Amino acid sequence: MRHTLPLTPQFYVTAPQPCPYLEGRMERKLFTALQGENAARLNDSLSSQGFRRSQNVLYRPSCTDCAACLSARIDVAAFRPGKSQRRILKRNAGLERRATSPWATEEQYDLFRAYLDSRHADGGMADMDVFEFAAMIEETPIRSRVIEYTDPEAQNALVGVCLTDVLGDGVSMVYSFYSPDRPRNGLGNYMILDHIEIARAAGLPYVYLGYWVPGSAKMGYKAKFSGLEVYMGGTWQKLRDAERFVPDQHPLSTDPIAEQVANINLPDVSTGPHR
């Protein structure tokens, strides 16, 4: 029996938990399942409305008293590399890129563990085992790729990996990790720069980066990319001055869940699956 996407997907909210970006705040997410033959169409539609994918779930922040987490993307046509970004491109010019199907390997997991142990030892993914890692990479109902970066001068060592979704209007960097042994190379920033080139070569206008939180040291690097847009008030807006941007933490800044769901634009699935 073929499974089709319900005409009206069901939306739910997670239980509140401590926010990893803003101390003293509680985080809550609005989410829905991503499944069926029209999954790609739903993913395209909700990604353009601030949602992100994690395996077969789409989610976006829906905190009760804060709206500081903003979905971010780079307008490829508006991007111009800065001086430090040009240096990063030069330092990593010898790396080779390889795009593969979403299939997890032991080499990827070893790099993933080294990255977590060095950068996010106390994060929510710190205890992820090899089976959970494989699920993160492989459980995707849409068009996804694993982009690997290797160093030919170091016996083709794997130095960076990004799980990337291909959307109708861009590429989405679902999750990336890299070698912690090359701090001067700026590998995290390099992979974003390379994804801008991937999108440009494919004629896709955007690179989706996940969420940007003003004032968060963990997220500050995203604001250094010119052409950055953030999703606020139901529209994408150019981020003009990140240093002076004040996050909305008013207790009435988030609409009730029912209003949020009512304002989500769902794709028309009557014409069949989107290819």
Side-chain angles (χ1 to χ4, degrees), residues 132-148:
E132 292 168 322
F133 173 78
M136 179 182 74
I137 297 293
E138 299 172 9
E139 290 185 9
T140 170
I142 62 168
R143 186 183 177 195
S144 302
R145 296 290 184 270
V146 172
I147 311 297
E148 297 184 336

Side-chain angles (χ1 to χ4, degrees), residues 63-178:
C63 303
T64 56
D65 58 355
C66 178
C69 293
L70 303 171
S71 187
R73 70 185 186 186
I74 296 170
D75 180 348
V76 172
F79 172 75
R80 299 293 183 273
K83 186 179 296 184
S84 63
Q85 292 166 341
R86 290 194 295 270
R87 286 197 296 266
I88 288 173
L89 287 169
K90 186 175 180 179
R91 287 173 185 157
N92 295 285
L95 298 184
E96 293 184 353
R97 179 213 302 155
R98 177 177 61 206
T100 70
S101 298
W103 186 257
T105 67
E106 291 185 9
E107 188 178 20
Q108 292 170 7
Y109 181 69
D110 289 343
L111 181 63
F112 174 72
R113 287 274 19 128
Y115 170 78
L116 286 186
D117 293 343
S118 174
R119 301 291 298 270
H120 303 286
D122 58 348
M125 303 174 75
D127 296 329
M128 184 178 288
D129 61 28
V130 65
F131 301 105
E132 292 168 322
F133 173 78
M136 179 182 74
I137 297 293
E138 299 172 9
E139 290 185 9
T140 170
I142 62 168
R143 186 183 177 195
S144 302
R145 296 290 184 270
V146 172
I147 311 297
E148 297 184 336
Y149 297 89
T150 58
D151 186 354
E153 296 184 359
Q155 298 180 326
N156 290 317
L158 184 66
V159 299
V161 176
C162 185
L163 175 61
T164 303
D165 287 350
V166 183
L167 309 179
D169 67 350
V171 292
S172 175
M173 300 179 71
V174 177
Y175 191 77
S176 61
F177 51 95
Y178 48 87

Side-chain angles (χ1 to χ4, degrees), residues 14 26 29 63 124 164 186 207 246:
T14 61
M26 299 298 289
K29 296 175 181 176
C63 303
T164 303
V207 174
V246 178

